[in-house]
Amino acid sequence: MALKGTLQDFSLADIFQLIGIQRKTGVLTVKHDQEVMTVSFVDGNVVGADSLHRRLEDRLGTVLVKSGQITEAQLQDALKIQKSTLQRMGKILVEHKFIDAKGLRDALQVQISQMVFRLFRWKTGEYDFSQEQGVEYDQEHVTPVSAESVLMEGARILDEWPMIEKAIRSFSMVFRRANVDIAQAAPGAARSASKDEAAGAVTLSEQERMVHGLVDGKRTVQEIIERSALGEFETCRILFELISRHLVEELRTAVRRGAATPVPAVEAAETSPLLIGLGYLVLILLAGGTILLRARPLVSGWDDGRAQFAWMEPIIGAGETEAIVDAIAENHLQRVDFAIQVYFLLNRGYPVDLRYLVTGRLLRPDAIVDPRGRPYLYQVESGTYKISRQPLV
């Protein structure tokens, strides 16, 4: 069976249904923009999912560490063993008792499901199903899931996700707990809901309590997802419920508070003579008493780079004004590039969006746009990243 085309012509639900009904074995590859994901099937059942940019095998250990199921030291030990034996990460973790078999099966199920269900939100892209005689997967720790079950859950996600997105507009958003009394988890038997309500405390389920506990006014939604071990959709669904019940609220000032943290500066390799000349000019005009107020737009951003410099054109000319704007923009770009490298050292991965540098308190909000107020062009691909300024129109 040859299946190849675009998602506009043949939806992902139709593809899954066809593979499930015909009980096919093979690998479905779906491409969308710069993302490439694969889903493996055996007899019409889903047995694996992977991403070209970050494989499941590589991601599993990191997810288990962030969710507190294994320690960083255990992961490093497992990676050393894997390097010398080439065994699967899951097998190593279980054999060395870093995690039990059930914990591993649950973690793999969440990761595979999360990747598959993310595909259902793709509206455009290309697909290609390659039929195979057999597909290799971790039969000991991965439970095949029928395509029909995936379709049912995928339909529920598609139905609920638009509502969730209205409250969680971006995974870089930060929430804090509202000033509401939450009932304590009772040891042993569950507490009576009526007793809690009478005491004025709000009762939460075990999963709601766990997600609520991860909300601290500092973590982004993405970081909460990584630590919850529930998967992307389920974590967002619970977070949406907490928002709806006014138990957590968006921290709208989180970015501005983070701006108070000093930002590591990057010195340019060579200072432009034009900038040096401008510096002397500023020192001379400083005696007039008004230069500080008029020069402030130089570092706070401007519309097109000319209007705010109009007062200096009689002195330096319009052409040199553009050169000054470009020099400052290049210096800003170096600061962003340095912050990305610091983020990599702290998180062992590049940020998917420059706003993570702000929520991570590495840069101020105005530092991730150029002096003209335009976002920098940033892209992560193949284990590295590209950043540049937008070309002038």
Side-chain angles (χ1 to χ4, degrees):
M1 179 184 71
L3 268 179
K4 186 174 184 179
T6 67
L7 296 180
Q8 294 95 318
D9 300 328
F10 206 53
S11 72
L12 199 64
D14 294 331
I15 298 169
F16 269 67
Q17 187 173 27
L18 186 58
I19 294 173
I21 290 175
Q22 298 192 4
R23 300 182 62 81
K24 294 298 181 179
T25 296
V27 178
L28 174 67
T29 302
V30 186
K31 301 177 181 179
H32 171 72
D33 293 336
Q34 300 298 319
E35 290 190 79
V36 179
M37 294 181 64
T38 61
V39 182
S40 300
F41 294 85
V42 171
D43 295 331
N45 298 314
V46 176
V47 297
D50 234 326
S51 169
L52 176 65
H53 299 309
R54 196 177 180 198
R55 298 179 58 249
L56 175 65
E57 184 77 3
D58 300 329
R59 186 175 57 254
L60 177 63
T62 302
V63 170
L64 291 173
V65 170
K66 290 186 175 181
S67 61
Q69 298 181 70
I70 65 173
T71 66
E72 178 64 32
Q74 289 172 333
L75 173 60
Q76 294 304 318
D77 289 343
L79 288 172
K80 291 178 182 178
I81 297 171
Q82 185 183 50
K83 186 176 181 180
S84 60
T85 64
L86 302 181
Q87 291 180 313
R88 293 181 183 275
M89 175 61 69
K91 181 178 178 65
I92 296 171
L93 294 173
V94 172
E95 285 187 348
H96 289 77
K97 302 187 185 305
F98 295 155
I99 190 173
D100 59 29
K102 181 182 183 304
L104 177 61
R105 280 194 295 271
D106 291 344
L108 285 171
Q109 190 68 34
V110 167
Q111 290 300 304
I112 292 173
S113 299
Q114 179 171 300
M115 297 181 71
V116 172
F117 295 143
R118 189 177 299 164
L119 281 176
F120 278 84
R121 302 207 300 271
W122 290 9
K123 303 300 181 183
T124 60
E126 300 176 351
Y127 67 86
D128 185 357
F129 179 75
S130 173
Q131 188 168 342
E132 309 287 348
Q133 291 295 323
V135 171
E136 183 183 355
Y137 71 99
D138 189 351
Q139 300 184 35
E140 186 177 356
H141 301 111
V142 173
T143 303
V145 180
S146 68
E148 292 80 3
S149 298
V150 173
L151 283 173
M152 290 178 61
E153 184 65 13
R156 182 173 75 92
I157 290 174
L158 287 176
D159 184 54
E160 297 184 24
W161 192 257
M163 181 173 56
I164 294 173
E165 277 187 317
K166 291 181 180 179
I168 306 174
R169 302 179 302 279
S170 166
F171 284 0
S172 63
M173 293 176 67
V174 177
F175 290 88
R176 64 183 175 190
R177 301 174 201 166
N179 188 21
V180 178
D181 187 18
I182 304 297
Q184 294 292 325
R191 287 185 61 169
S192 167
S194 59
K195 181 179 179 181
D196 289 328
E197 291 171 0
V202 175
T203 57
L204 298 176
S205 67
E206 183 179 347
Q207 290 186 342
E208 288 174 337
R209 188 180 299 277
M210 186 265 291
V211 174
H212 183 267
L214 290 172
V215 175
D216 62 355
K218 298 179 181 178
R219 295 190 181 103
T220 63
V221 173
Q222 181 63 47
E223 290 169 332
I224 293 174
I225 292 171
E226 292 171 347
R227 286 166 171 76
S228 72
L230 294 177
E232 181 178 286
F233 172 74
E234 195 61 24
T235 302
C236 289
R237 184 191 65 79
I238 293 174
L239 187 56
F240 171 75
E241 291 292 334
L242 297 175
I243 296 169
S244 302
R245 295 168 64 183
H246 304 289
L247 301 180
V248 301
E249 57 191 15
E250 182 182 354
L251 186 59
R252 297 182 183 275
T253 59
V255 170
R256 286 189 288 274
R257 289 183 179 179
T261 304
V263 180
V266 182
E267 295 184 0
E270 182 177 350
T271 304
S272 167
L274 187 59
L275 286 178
I276 295 175
L278 179 61
Y280 281 116
L281 176 62
V282 169
L283 289 175
I284 294 170
L285 296 178
L286 186 59
T290 60
I291 187 63
L292 290 179
L293 293 176
R294 305 192 72 182
R296 189 172 181 178
L298 284 173
V299 294
S300 60
W302 43 87
D303 296 332
D304 64 0
R306 289 197 184 101
Q308 300 290 348
F309 271 112
W311 62 277
M312 296 189 69
E313 288 187 0
I315 306 173
I316 63 175
E320 292 174 318
T321 296
E322 288 296 336
I324 293 172
V325 175
D326 289 340
I328 295 175
E330 193 63 32
N331 184 266
H332 283 191
L333 188 64
Q334 292 181 29
R335 291 170 66 90
V336 176
D337 185 70
F338 183 80
I340 292 172
Q341 297 177 49
V342 173
Y343 184 98
F344 181 87
L345 294 175
L346 295 174
N347 299 276
R348 295 180 311 191
Y350 295 112
V352 297
D353 190 291
L354 292 182
R355 287 173 292 184
Y356 279 71
L357 302 177
V358 176
T359 56
R361 300 188 178 185
L362 295 176
L363 287 177
R364 299 187 303 272
D366 60 356
I368 61 173
V369 296
D370 69 13
R372 295 180 173 87
R374 303 173 306 170
Y376 290 111
L377 299 176
Y378 174 69
Q379 186 177 29
V380 179
E381 57 180 17
S382 304
T384 185
Y385 68 93
K386 296 179 181 178
I387 183 168
S388 61
R389 295 160 51 198
Q390 293 192 33
L392 291 175
V393 179

